[in-house]
Amino acid sequence: MGYVYLMAAMAACVAGSSLLTASNGMKKRFYAVSGVVVFVISYVLLSRAILTINISIAYAVFCGVGIVLSGLISAVVFKQKMTKIGVFCMILILVACVYIHTFGTM
């Protein structure tokens, strides 16, 4: 069940980041408030996930996957440019997430 909470937390974090981007510097209040609320939900879900998943693994995966998904959404939805080195680094982040999940248990 911890991984369900972790996936939901990652999705909420990415949604919150997207909402804050859409808020145009907190000028569009609906998006700004929604983004903050979704971030709070994200961290509540993360707190549930770490009840059964080692925090070092859960947080590394949470951050890594969140970075990659946010980068993809920023490129596709918000038409922000991504360099080749940025794509390469995101691939490294995903590889690191797999390795820490596979070999990072204490």
Side-chain angles (χ1 to χ4, degrees):
M1 191 66 182
Y3 285 98
V4 172
Y5 284 124
L6 183 59
M7 288 188 300
M10 289 184 292
C13 183
V14 171
S17 297
S18 298
L19 286 165
L20 289 180
T21 302
S23 77
N24 193 24
M26 299 286 197
K27 292 176 185 164
K28 297 179 180 178
R29 296 226 186 260
F30 174 76
Y31 292 117
V33 172
S34 298
V36 170
V37 168
V38 172
F39 265 120
V40 169
I41 291 168
S42 172
Y43 281 98
V44 168
L45 291 167
L46 180 62
S47 73
R48 299 293 298 173
I50 62 174
L51 292 174
T52 57
I53 304 171
N54 185 327
I55 189 169
S56 62
I57 294 170
Y59 197 68
V61 172
F62 173 81
C63 291
V65 173
I67 289 167
V68 172
L69 289 177
S70 292
L72 292 173
I73 289 173
S74 72
V76 174
V77 175
F78 298 107
K79 307 295 185 217
Q80 297 174 351
K81 301 276 184 195
M82 190 178 304
T83 63
K84 290 179 184 177
I85 192 73
V87 172
F88 176 72
C89 290
M90 286 191 183
I91 292 169
L92 288 178
I93 290 170
L94 285 177
V95 169
C97 286
V98 170
Y99 270 92
I100 197 165
H101 183 267
T102 305
F103 302 110
T105 56
M106 293 183 210

Coordinates of all heavy atoms in Angstrom, one line a residue:
M1 N 0.8 -1.2 0.0 CA 0.0 0.0 0.0 C 0.9 1.3 0.0 O 0.5 2.3 -0.5 CB -0.9 0.0 1.2 CG -2.0 1.0 1.2 SD -3.1 0.7 -0.1 CE -4.2 2.1 0.1
G2 N 2.1 1.1 0.6 CA 3.0 2.3 0.6 C 3.3 2.8 -0.8 O 3.4 4.1 -1.0
Y3 N 3.5 1.9 -1.7 CA 3.8 2.4 -3.1 C 2.6 3.1 -3.8 O 2.8 3.9 -4.6 CB 4.3 1.2 -3.9 CG 5.8 0.9 -3.5 CD1 6.0 -0.2 -2.6 CD2 6.8 1.7 -3.9 CE1 7.3 -0.4 -2.2 CE2 8.1 1.4 -3.5 CZ 8.3 0.3 -2.7 OH 9.6 0.1 -2.3
V4 N 1.4 2.7 -3.4 CA 0.2 3.4 -3.9 C 0.2 4.8 -3.4 O 0.0 5.8 -4.2 CB -1.1 2.7 -3.5 CG1 -2.3 3.5 -3.9 CG2 -1.1 1.3 -4.2
Y5 N 0.5 5.0 -2.1 CA 0.6 6.3 -1.5 C 1.7 7.1 -2.2 O 1.6 8.3 -2.5 CB 0.8 6.3 0.0 CG -0.4 5.9 0.8 CD1 -0.4 4.9 1.6 CD2 -1.6 6.7 0.6 CE1 -1.6 4.5 2.4 CE2 -2.7 6.4 1.4 CZ -2.7 5.3 2.2 OH -3.8 5.0 3.0
L6 N 2.9 6.5 -2.4 CA 4.0 7.1 -3.0 C 3.7 7.6 -4.4 O 4.0 8.8 -4.8 CB 5.2 6.2 -3.0 CG 6.5 6.8 -3.6 CD1 6.9 8.1 -2.7 CD2 7.6 5.8 -3.5
M7 N 3.1 6.8 -5.2 CA 2.7 7.2 -6.6 C 1.7 8.3 -6.6 O 1.8 9.3 -7.4 CB 2.1 6.0 -7.4 CG 3.2 5.0 -7.8 SD 2.6 3.7 -8.9 CE 1.3 2.9 -7.9
A8 N 0.7 8.3 -5.7 CA -0.3 9.4 -5.6 C 0.4 10.6 -5.1 O 0.1 11.7 -5.6 CB -1.4 9.0 -4.6
A9 N 1.4 10.5 -4.2 CA 2.1 11.7 -3.7 C 2.9 12.3 -4.9 O 3.0 13.6 -5.0 CB 3.1 11.3 -2.6
M10 N 3.6 11.5 -5.7 CA 4.3 12.0 -6.8 C 3.4 12.7 -7.8 O 3.7 13.8 -8.3 CB 5.1 10.9 -7.5 CG 6.2 10.4 -6.7 SD 7.2 9.1 -7.6 CE 6.1 7.7 -7.6
A11 N 2.3 12.1 -8.1 CA 1.3 12.7 -9.0 C 0.8 14.0 -8.5 O 0.7 15.0 -9.2 CB 0.1 11.8 -9.3
A12 N 0.5 14.1 -7.2 CA 0.0 15.3 -6.6 C 1.1 16.4 -6.6 O 0.9 17.6 -6.9 CB -0.4 15.1 -5.2
C13 N 2.4 16.0 -6.4 CA 3.5 17.0 -6.4 C 3.6 17.6 -7.8 O 3.8 18.8 -7.9 CB 4.7 16.3 -5.9 SG 6.2 17.4 -5.8
V14 N 3.6 16.7 -8.8 CA 3.7 17.2 -10.2 C 2.5 18.1 -10.5 O 2.7 19.2 -11.2 CB 3.9 16.0 -11.1 CG1 3.8 16.5 -12.6 CG2 5.2 15.3 -10.9
A15 N 1.3 17.7 -10.1 CA 0.2 18.6 -10.4 C 0.3 19.9 -9.7 O 0.0 21.0 -10.2 CB -1.1 17.8 -9.9
G16 N 0.8 19.9 -8.4 CA 1.0 21.1 -7.7 C 2.0 22.1 -8.4 O 1.8 23.3 -8.5
S17 N 3.1 21.5 -8.9 CA 4.1 22.3 -9.6 C 3.5 22.9 -10.9 O 3.7 24.1 -11.2 CB 5.3 21.4 -10.0 OG 5.9 20.9 -8.8
S18 N 2.7 22.1 -11.6 CA 2.0 22.6 -12.8 C 1.0 23.7 -12.5 O 1.0 24.7 -13.2 CB 1.4 21.4 -13.5 OG 2.3 20.4 -13.9
L19 N 0.3 23.5 -11.4 CA -0.7 24.6 -11.0 C 0.0 25.9 -10.6 O -0.4 27.0 -11.0 CB -1.6 24.1 -9.9 CG -2.6 23.1 -10.3 CD1 -3.2 22.4 -9.0 CD2 -3.7 23.7 -11.1
L20 N 1.1 25.7 -9.9 CA 1.9 27.0 -9.6 C 2.5 27.6 -10.8 O 2.5 28.9 -10.9 CB 3.0 26.6 -8.5 CG 2.5 26.3 -7.2 CD1 3.6 26.0 -6.2 CD2 1.6 27.4 -6.6
T21 N 2.9 26.8 -11.8 CA 3.4 27.4 -13.0 C 2.3 28.1 -13.7 O 2.4 29.3 -14.3 CB 4.0 26.3 -13.9 OG1 5.1 25.7 -13.2 CG2 4.5 26.9 -15.2
A22 N 1.1 27.5 -13.8 CA -0.1 28.1 -14.4 C -0.6 29.4 -13.7 O -1.3 30.2 -14.3 CB -1.2 27.1 -14.5
S23 N -0.2 29.5 -12.4 CA -0.6 30.7 -11.6 C 0.0 32.0 -12.1 O -0.4 33.0 -11.6 CB -0.4 30.4 -10.1 OG 0.9 30.6 -9.8
N24 N 1.1 31.9 -12.9 CA 1.7 33.1 -13.4 C 2.3 33.9 -12.3 O 2.0 35.1 -12.2 CB 0.8 33.8 -14.3 CG 1.6 34.9 -15.2 OD1 2.8 34.7 -15.4 ND2 0.9 35.9 -15.6
G25 N 3.1 33.3 -11.4 CA 3.7 34.1 -10.3 C 2.7 34.4 -9.3 O 2.8 35.5 -8.7
M26 N 1.7 33.5 -9.0 CA 0.7 33.7 -8.0 C -0.3 34.8 -8.4 O -1.0 35.3 -7.5 CB 1.3 34.0 -6.6 CG 2.2 32.9 -6.1 SD 1.1 31.5 -5.6 CE 2.3 30.6 -4.6
K27 N -0.3 35.2 -9.6 CA -1.3 36.3 -10.0 C -2.7 35.7 -10.3 O -3.7 36.4 -10.1 CB -0.8 37.0 -11.3 CG 0.5 37.8 -11.0 CD 1.0 38.4 -12.3 CE 2.3 39.1 -12.0 NZ 3.1 39.3 -13.3
K28 N -2.7 34.5 -10.7 CA -4.0 33.8 -10.9 C -4.3 33.0 -9.6 O -3.8 31.9 -9.4 CB -4.0 32.9 -12.1 CG -3.8 33.7 -13.4 CD -3.7 32.7 -14.6 CE -3.5 33.5 -15.9 NZ -3.4 32.6 -17.1
R29 N -5.2 33.6 -8.8 CA -5.4 33.1 -7.5 C -5.9 31.6 -7.4 O -5.5 30.8 -6.6 CB -6.3 34.0 -6.7 CG -5.7 35.3 -6.5 CD -5.9 35.8 -5.0 NE -5.5 37.2 -4.9 CZ -4.3 37.5 -4.4 NH1 -3.5 36.5 -4.0 NH2 -4.0 38.7 -4.3
F30 N -6.8 31.3 -8.3 CA -7.3 29.9 -8.3 C -6.2 28.9 -8.5 O -6.1 27.9 -7.7 CB -8.4 29.7 -9.4 CG -8.9 28.3 -9.5 CD1 -9.8 27.8 -8.6 CD2 -8.4 27.5 -10.5 CE1 -10.2 26.5 -8.7 CE2 -8.8 26.2 -10.6 CZ -9.7 25.7 -9.7
Y31 N -5.4 29.1 -9.5 CA -4.3 28.2 -9.7 C -3.3 28.2 -8.5 O -2.7 27.1 -8.1 CB -3.5 28.5 -11.0 CG -4.4 28.2 -12.2 CD1 -4.7 29.3 -13.1 CD2 -4.8 26.9 -12.5 CE1 -5.5 29.0 -14.2 CE2 -5.6 26.7 -13.6 CZ -5.9 27.7 -14.5 OH -6.7 27.5 -15.6
A32 N -3.0 29.4 -8.0 CA -2.1 29.5 -6.9 C -2.6 28.7 -5.6 O -1.8 27.9 -5.1 CB -1.8 30.9 -6.5
V33 N -3.8 29.0 -5.3 CA -4.4 28.3 -4.1 C -4.5 26.8 -4.3 O -4.1 26.0 -3.4 CB -5.7 28.9 -3.7 CG1 -6.4 28.1 -2.6 CG2 -5.5 30.4 -3.3
S34 N -4.9 26.4 -5.5 CA -5.0 25.0 -5.8 C -3.7 24.3 -5.8 O -3.6 23.2 -5.3 CB -5.6 24.8 -7.2 OG -6.9 25.4 -7.3
G35 N -2.7 25.0 -6.3 CA -1.3 24.4 -6.2 C -0.8 24.2 -4.8 O -0.3 23.1 -4.5
V36 N -1.0 25.1 -3.9 CA -0.6 25.0 -2.6 C -1.4 23.9 -1.9 O -0.8 23.0 -1.2 CB -0.8 26.3 -1.8 CG1 -0.6 26.1 -0.3 CG2 0.2 27.4 -2.4
V37 N -2.7 23.8 -2.1 CA -3.5 22.7 -1.5 C -3.1 21.4 -2.0 O -2.9 20.4 -1.2 CB -5.0 23.0 -1.8 CG1 -5.8 21.7 -1.5 CG2 -5.5 24.2 -1.1
V38 N -2.8 21.3 -3.3 CA -2.3 20.0 -3.9 C -1.0 19.6 -3.3 O -0.7 18.4 -3.0 CB -2.4 20.0 -5.4 CG1 -1.7 18.8 -6.0 CG2 -3.8 20.1 -5.9
F39 N -0.1 20.6 -3.1 CA 1.2 20.3 -2.5 C 1.0 19.7 -1.0 O 1.7 18.8 -0.6 CB 2.1 21.5 -2.4 CG 3.1 21.6 -3.6 CD1 3.0 22.7 -4.4 CD2 4.0 20.6 -3.8 CE1 3.9 22.8 -5.5 CE2 4.9 20.7 -4.9 CZ 4.8 21.8 -5.7
V40 N 0.1 20.3 -0.3 CA -0.1 19.8 1.1 C -0.6 18.3 1.0 O -0.2 17.5 1.8 CB -1.2 20.7 1.8 CG1 -1.6 20.0 3.1 CG2 -0.5 22.1 2.1
I41 N -1.5 18.1 0.1 CA -2.0 16.7 -0.1 C -0.9 15.8 -0.5 O -0.8 14.6 0.0 CB -3.1 16.7 -1.2 CG1 -4.4 17.4 -0.7 CG2 -3.5 15.2 -1.6 CD1 -5.4 17.7 -1.7
S42 N 0.0 16.3 -1.3 CA 1.2 15.5 -1.7 C 2.0 15.0 -0.5 O 2.4 13.9 -0.4 CB 2.0 16.3 -2.7 OG 3.2 15.6 -3.0
Y43 N 2.3 16.0 0.4 CA 3.1 15.6 1.5 C 2.4 14.8 2.5 O 3.0 14.0 3.2 CB 3.7 16.9 2.1 CG 4.9 17.3 1.3 CD1 4.8 18.3 0.3 CD2 6.1 16.7 1.4 CE1 5.9 18.7 -0.5 CE2 7.2 17.0 0.6 CZ 7.1 18.1 -0.3 OH 8.1 18.4 -1.1
V44 N 1.1 14.9 2.6 CA 0.3 14.0 3.5 C 0.4 12.6 2.9 O 0.6 11.6 3.7 CB -1.2 14.5 3.6 CG1 -2.0 13.4 4.2 CG2 -1.3 15.8 4.4
L45 N 0.3 12.5 1.6 CA 0.4 11.1 1.0 C 1.8 10.6 1.2 O 2.0 9.4 1.5 CB 0.0 11.2 -0.5 CG -1.5 11.5 -0.8 CD1 -1.6 11.8 -2.2 CD2 -2.3 10.3 -0.4
L46 N 2.8 11.4 1.1 CA 4.2 11.0 1.3 C 4.4 10.5 2.7 O 5.1 9.5 3.0 CB 5.2 12.1 0.9 CG 6.7 11.7 1.1 CD1 7.1 10.6 0.2 CD2 7.5 12.9 0.8
S47 N 3.8 11.2 3.7 CA 3.9 10.8 5.1 C 3.3 9.4 5.3 O 3.8 8.6 6.1 CB 3.3 11.8 6.0 OG 1.9 11.8 5.9
R48 N 2.2 9.1 4.5 CA 1.6 7.8 4.6 C 2.5 6.7 4.0 O 2.6 5.6 4.5 CB 0.2 7.8 4.0 CG -0.8 8.7 4.6 CD -1.2 8.3 5.9 NE -1.8 7.0 5.9 CZ -2.2 6.3 6.9 NH1 -2.0 6.8 8.1 NH2 -2.7 5.1 6.8
A49 N 3.2 7.1 2.9 CA 4.0 6.1 2.2 C 5.2 5.7 3.0 O 5.6 4.5 3.0 CB 4.5 6.7 0.9
I50 N 5.8 6.7 3.8 CA 7.0 6.3 4.6 C 6.7 5.5 5.8 O 7.6 5.1 6.5 CB 7.8 7.6 4.9 CG1 7.1 8.6 5.8 CG2 8.4 8.2 3.6 CD1 7.9 9.7 6.2
L51 N 5.5 5.2 6.0 CA 5.1 4.3 7.1 C 5.6 2.9 6.8 O 5.9 2.1 7.7 CB 3.6 4.3 7.4 CG 3.1 5.6 8.0 CD1 1.6 5.5 8.2 CD2 3.7 5.9 9.4
T52 N 5.6 2.6 5.5 CA 6.0 1.2 5.1 C 7.2 1.2 4.1 O 7.7 0.1 3.9 CB 4.8 0.5 4.4 OG1 4.4 1.3 3.3 CG2 3.6 0.3 5.3
I53 N 7.7 2.3 3.7 CA 8.8 2.4 2.8 C 9.9 3.2 3.5 O 9.6 4.2 4.1 CB 8.5 3.1 1.4 CG1 7.3 2.4 0.7 CG2 9.7 3.1 0.5 CD1 6.8 3.2 -0.5
N54 N 11.1 2.7 3.4 CA 12.3 3.4 4.0 C 12.3 4.8 3.4 O 12.2 5.0 2.2 CB 13.6 2.6 3.5 CG 14.8 3.2 4.2 OD1 14.9 4.4 4.4 ND2 15.7 2.3 4.4
I55 N 12.4 5.8 4.3 CA 12.3 7.2 3.9 C 13.4 7.6 2.9 O 13.1 8.4 2.0 CB 12.3 8.1 5.2 CG1 12.0 9.6 4.7 CG2 13.7 8.1 5.9 CD1 11.7 10.5 5.9
S56 N 14.6 7.1 3.0 CA 15.6 7.4 2.1 C 15.3 7.0 0.7 O 15.5 7.7 -0.3 CB 17.0 6.9 2.5 OG 16.9 5.5 2.5
I57 N 14.6 5.8 0.6 CA 14.2 5.3 -0.8 C 13.0 6.1 -1.2 O 12.9 6.5 -2.4 CB 14.0 3.8 -0.7 CG1 15.3 3.1 -0.4 CG2 13.3 3.3 -2.0 CD1 15.1 1.6 -0.1
A58 N 12.0 6.2 -0.4 CA 10.8 6.9 -0.8 C 11.0 8.3 -1.2 O 10.5 8.7 -2.3 CB 9.8 6.8 0.4
Y59 N 11.8 9.1 -0.5 CA 12.0 10.5 -0.8 C 12.9 10.6 -2.1 O 12.6 11.5 -2.9 CB 12.6 11.2 0.4 CG 12.5 12.7 0.2 CD1 11.2 13.3 0.3 CD2 13.6 13.5 0.0 CE1 11.1 14.7 0.1 CE2 13.4 14.9 -0.2 CZ 12.2 15.4 -0.1 OH 12.0 16.8 -0.3
A60 N 13.8 9.7 -2.2 CA 14.7 9.8 -3.4 C 13.8 9.5 -4.7 O 13.9 10.2 -5.7 CB 15.8 8.8 -3.4
V61 N 13.0 8.5 -4.6 CA 12.1 8.2 -5.7 C 11.1 9.3 -5.9 O 10.8 9.7 -7.1 CB 11.4 6.8 -5.5 CG1 10.3 6.6 -6.6 CG2 12.4 5.7 -5.5
F62 N 10.5 9.8 -4.9 CA 9.5 10.9 -4.9 C 10.1 12.1 -5.6 O 9.5 12.7 -6.6 CB 9.1 11.3 -3.5 CG 8.3 12.5 -3.3 CD1 6.9 12.4 -3.6 CD2 8.8 13.7 -2.9 CE1 6.1 13.6 -3.4 CE2 8.0 14.9 -2.8 CZ 6.7 14.8 -3.0
C63 N 11.3 12.5 -5.2 CA 12.0 13.7 -5.8 C 12.4 13.4 -7.3 O 12.2 14.2 -8.2 CB 13.2 14.1 -5.0 SG 12.7 14.8 -3.4
G64 N 13.0 12.3 -7.5 CA 13.6 12.0 -8.8 C 12.5 11.9 -9.9 O 12.6 12.5 -10.9
V65 N 11.5 11.1 -9.6 CA 10.4 11.0 -10.5 C 9.6 12.3 -10.7 O 9.2 12.6 -11.8 CB 9.4 9.8 -10.1 CG1 8.2 9.7 -11.0 CG2 10.2 8.5 -10.2
G66 N 9.5 13.0 -9.6 CA 8.8 14.3 -9.7 C 9.6 15.3 -10.6 O 9.0 16.0 -11.4
I67 N 10.9 15.3 -10.5 CA 11.7 16.1 -11.3 C 11.5 15.8 -12.8 O 11.3 16.7 -13.7 CB 13.2 16.0 -11.0 CG1 13.4 16.7 -9.6 CG2 14.1 16.7 -12.0 CD1 14.8 16.4 -9.0
V68 N 11.6 14.5 -13.1 CA 11.5 14.1 -14.5 C 10.1 14.4 -15.0 O 9.9 14.9 -16.1 CB 11.8 12.6 -14.6 CG1 11.5 12.1 -16.0 CG2 13.3 12.3 -14.3
L69 N 9.0 14.0 -14.3 CA 7.7 14.3 -14.8 C 7.4 15.8 -14.9 O 6.8 16.2 -15.9 CB 6.6 13.7 -13.8 CG 6.6 12.2 -13.8 CD1 5.6 11.7 -12.8 CD2 6.2 11.6 -15.2
S70 N 7.9 16.6 -14.0 CA 7.7 18.0 -14.1 C 8.4 18.6 -15.3 O 7.9 19.5 -16.0 CB 8.2 18.7 -12.8 OG 7.4 18.4 -11.7
G71 N 9.6 18.1 -15.6 CA 10.3 18.5 -16.8 C 9.6 18.1 -18.0 O 9.5 19.0 -19.0
L72 N 9.0 17.0 -18.1 CA 8.3 16.6 -19.3 C 7.0 17.4 -19.5 O 6.7 17.9 -20.6 CB 7.9 15.1 -19.2 CG 9.0 14.1 -19.3 CD1 8.5 12.7 -19.0 CD2 9.7 14.2 -20.7
I73 N 6.3 17.7 -18.4 CA 5.1 18.5 -18.4 C 5.5 19.9 -18.8 O 4.8 20.6 -19.6 CB 4.3 18.5 -17.1 CG1 3.7 17.1 -17.0 CG2 3.3 19.6 -17.0 CD1 3.0 16.8 -15.7
S74 N 6.6 20.4 -18.3 CA 7.0 21.8 -18.6 C 7.3 21.9 -20.1 O 7.0 22.9 -20.8 CB 8.2 22.3 -17.8 OG 9.4 21.6 -18.2
A75 N 7.9 20.9 -20.7 CA 8.2 20.9 -22.1 C 7.0 20.7 -23.0 O 6.8 21.4 -24.0 CB 9.2 19.8 -22.5
V76 N 6.1 19.8 -22.6 CA 4.9 19.5 -23.4 C 3.8 20.6 -23.2 O 3.3 21.1 -24.2 CB 4.4 18.1 -23.1 CG1 3.1 17.8 -23.9 CG2 5.4 17.1 -23.5
V77 N 3.4 20.8 -22.0 CA 2.3 21.7 -21.7 C 2.6 23.2 -21.8 O 1.9 24.0 -22.4 CB 1.7 21.4 -20.3 CG1 0.5 22.3 -20.0 CG2 1.1 19.9 -20.3
F78 N 3.8 23.5 -21.1 CA 4.1 25.0 -21.0 C 5.1 25.4 -22.1 O 5.6 26.5 -22.1 CB 4.6 25.3 -19.6 CG 3.6 25.0 -18.6 CD1 3.7 23.9 -17.7 CD2 2.5 25.9 -18.4 CE1 2.8 23.7 -16.7 CE2 1.6 25.6 -17.4 CZ 1.7 24.6 -16.6
K79 N 5.5 24.5 -23.0 CA 6.4 24.8 -24.1 C 7.7 25.4 -23.7 O 8.3 26.2 -24.4 CB 5.7 25.7 -25.1 CG 4.3 25.3 -25.6 CD 4.4 24.0 -26.4 CE 3.0 23.6 -27.0 NZ 2.8 22.2 -27.0
Q80 N 8.2 24.9 -22.6 CA 9.5 25.4 -22.1 C 10.6 24.5 -22.8 O 10.4 23.3 -22.9 CB 9.6 25.3 -20.6 CG 8.6 26.3 -20.0 CD 8.6 26.1 -18.4 OE1 9.2 25.2 -17.9 NE2 7.9 27.0 -17.8
K81 N 11.7 25.1 -23.2 CA 12.8 24.4 -23.9 C 13.5 23.4 -22.9 O 13.7 23.8 -21.7 CB 13.8 25.4 -24.5 CG 13.2 26.3 -25.4 CD 13.1 25.7 -26.8 CE 12.5 26.7 -27.8 NZ 12.1 26.2 -29.0
M82 N 13.9 22.3 -23.4 CA 14.8 21.4 -22.7 C 16.0 21.0 -23.5 O 15.9 20.6 -24.7 CB 14.0 20.1 -22.3 CG 14.7 19.2 -21.4 SD 13.8 17.7 -20.9 CE 12.3 18.4 -20.3
T83 N 17.2 21.2 -23.0 CA 18.4 20.9 -23.7 C 18.7 19.4 -23.7 O 18.1 18.7 -22.9 CB 19.6 21.7 -23.1 OG1 19.8 21.2 -21.7 CG2 19.3 23.2 -23.0
K84 N 19.6 19.1 -24.6 CA 20.0 17.7 -24.6 C 20.7 17.2 -23.3 O 20.4 16.1 -22.9 CB 21.0 17.4 -25.8 CG 20.4 17.6 -27.2 CD 21.4 17.4 -28.3 CE 20.7 17.6 -29.6 NZ 21.6 17.5 -30.7
I85 N 21.5 18.1 -22.7 CA 22.1 17.8 -21.5 C 21.0 17.6 -20.4 O 21.2 16.8 -19.5 CB 23.2 18.8 -21.1 CG1 24.0 18.2 -19.9 CG2 22.6 20.1 -20.7 CD1 25.0 17.1 -20.2
G86 N 20.0 18.4 -20.4 CA 18.9 18.3 -19.5 C 18.2 17.0 -19.6 O 17.9 16.3 -18.6
V87 N 17.9 16.5 -20.8 CA 17.3 15.2 -21.1 C 18.2 14.1 -20.5 O 17.8 13.2 -19.9 CB 17.0 15.0 -22.6 CG1 16.6 13.6 -22.8 CG2 16.0 16.0 -23.0
F88 N 19.5 14.2 -20.8 CA 20.5 13.2 -20.4 C 20.5 13.2 -18.8 O 20.5 12.1 -18.3 CB 21.9 13.6 -20.9 CG 23.0 12.7 -20.4 CD1 23.1 11.4 -20.8 CD2 23.9 13.1 -19.4 CE1 24.1 10.5 -20.4 CE2 24.9 12.3 -19.0 CZ 25.0 11.0 -19.4
C89 N 20.5 14.3 -18.2 CA 20.5 14.3 -16.7 C 19.2 13.7 -16.1 O 19.2 13.1 -15.1 CB 20.7 15.8 -16.2 SG 22.4 16.4 -16.5
M90 N 18.1 13.9 -16.8 CA 16.8 13.3 -16.3 C 16.9 11.8 -16.5 O 16.4 11.1 -15.6 CB 15.7 13.9 -17.1 CG 15.4 15.3 -16.6 SD 13.8 15.9 -17.3 CE 13.8 17.5 -16.7
I91 N 17.5 11.3 -17.5 CA 17.7 9.9 -17.7 C 18.6 9.4 -16.5 O 18.3 8.3 -15.9 CB 18.3 9.5 -19.0 CG1 17.3 9.8 -20.1 CG2 18.8 8.1 -19.1 CD1 17.8 9.8 -21.5
L92 N 19.6 10.1 -16.2 CA 20.5 9.7 -15.1 C 19.7 9.7 -13.7 O 19.9 8.8 -12.9 CB 21.7 10.7 -14.9 CG 22.8 10.5 -16.0 CD1 23.8 11.6 -15.7 CD2 23.4 9.1 -16.0
I93 N 18.8 10.7 -13.6 CA 18.0 10.7 -12.4 C 17.1 9.4 -12.3 O 17.0 8.8 -11.2 CB 17.1 12.0 -12.3 CG1 18.0 13.2 -12.1 CG2 16.0 11.9 -11.3 CD1 17.3 14.5 -12.3
L94 N 16.5 9.1 -13.4 CA 15.6 7.9 -13.4 C 16.5 6.6 -13.1 O 16.0 5.7 -12.4 CB 14.9 7.7 -14.8 CG 13.7 8.7 -15.0 CD1 13.2 8.5 -16.4 CD2 12.7 8.4 -13.9
V95 N 17.6 6.5 -13.7 CA 18.5 5.4 -13.4 C 18.9 5.3 -11.9 O 18.9 4.3 -11.3 CB 19.8 5.4 -14.3 CG1 20.8 4.4 -13.9 CG2 19.4 5.2 -15.8
A96 N 19.2 6.5 -11.4 CA 19.5 6.6 -10.0 C 18.4 6.1 -9.1 O 18.5 5.4 -8.1 CB 20.0 8.0 -9.6
C97 N 17.1 6.5 -9.5 CA 15.9 6.1 -8.7 C 15.8 4.6 -8.8 O 15.5 4.0 -7.7 CB 14.7 6.7 -9.3 SG 14.5 8.5 -8.9
V98 N 16.0 4.0 -9.9 CA 15.9 2.5 -10.0 C 17.0 1.9 -9.1 O 16.7 0.9 -8.4 CB 16.1 2.1 -11.5 CG1 16.2 0.6 -11.6 CG2 14.8 2.5 -12.3
Y99 N 18.2 2.4 -9.2 CA 19.3 1.8 -8.4 C 19.1 1.9 -6.9 O 19.3 1.0 -6.2 CB 20.6 2.4 -8.8 CG 21.3 1.7 -9.9 CD1 21.1 2.0 -11.2 CD2 22.2 0.6 -9.6 CE1 21.7 1.3 -12.2 CE2 22.8 -0.1 -10.7 CZ 22.6 0.3 -12.0 OH 23.2 -0.4 -13.0
I100 N 18.6 3.1 -6.5 CA 18.4 3.3 -5.0 C 17.3 2.4 -4.6 O 17.3 1.9 -3.5 CB 18.2 4.8 -4.6 CG1 18.5 4.9 -3.1 CG2 16.9 5.3 -5.0 CD1 18.7 6.3 -2.7
H101 N 16.3 2.3 -5.4 CA 15.1 1.4 -5.0 C 15.6 -0.1 -5.0 O 15.2 -0.8 -4.1 CB 14.0 1.6 -6.0 CG 12.8 0.8 -5.6 ND1 12.5 -0.5 -6.1 CD2 11.8 1.1 -4.8 CE1 11.4 -0.9 -5.6 NE2 10.9 0.0 -4.8
T102 N 16.4 -0.5 -5.9 CA 16.8 -1.9 -6.0 C 17.9 -2.2 -4.9 O 17.8 -3.3 -4.3 CB 17.4 -2.2 -7.4 OG1 16.4 -1.8 -8.4 CG2 17.7 -3.6 -7.6
F103 N 18.8 -1.3 -4.7 CA 20.0 -1.7 -3.9 C 20.0 -0.8 -2.6 O 21.0 -1.0 -1.8 CB 21.3 -1.5 -4.7 CG 21.3 -2.4 -5.9 CD1 21.3 -1.8 -7.2 CD2 21.4 -3.7 -5.8 CE1 21.3 -2.5 -8.3 CE2 21.5 -4.5 -7.0 CZ 21.4 -3.9 -8.2
G104 N 19.1 0.1 -2.4 CA 19.2 1.0 -1.3 C 18.6 0.6 0.0 O 18.6 1.4 0.9
T105 N 18.1 -0.6 0.1 CA 17.6 -1.0 1.4 C 18.7 -1.2 2.5 O 19.8 -1.6 2.2 CB 16.8 -2.3 1.3 OG1 17.6 -3.3 0.8 CG2 15.6 -2.2 0.4
M106 N 18.3 -0.9 3.7 CA 19.3 -1.0 4.8 C 19.1 -2.2 5.6 O 18.0 -2.7 5.8 CB 19.2 0.3 5.7 CG 19.7 1.5 4.9 SD 19.6 2.9 6.1 CE 19.2 4.2 5.0

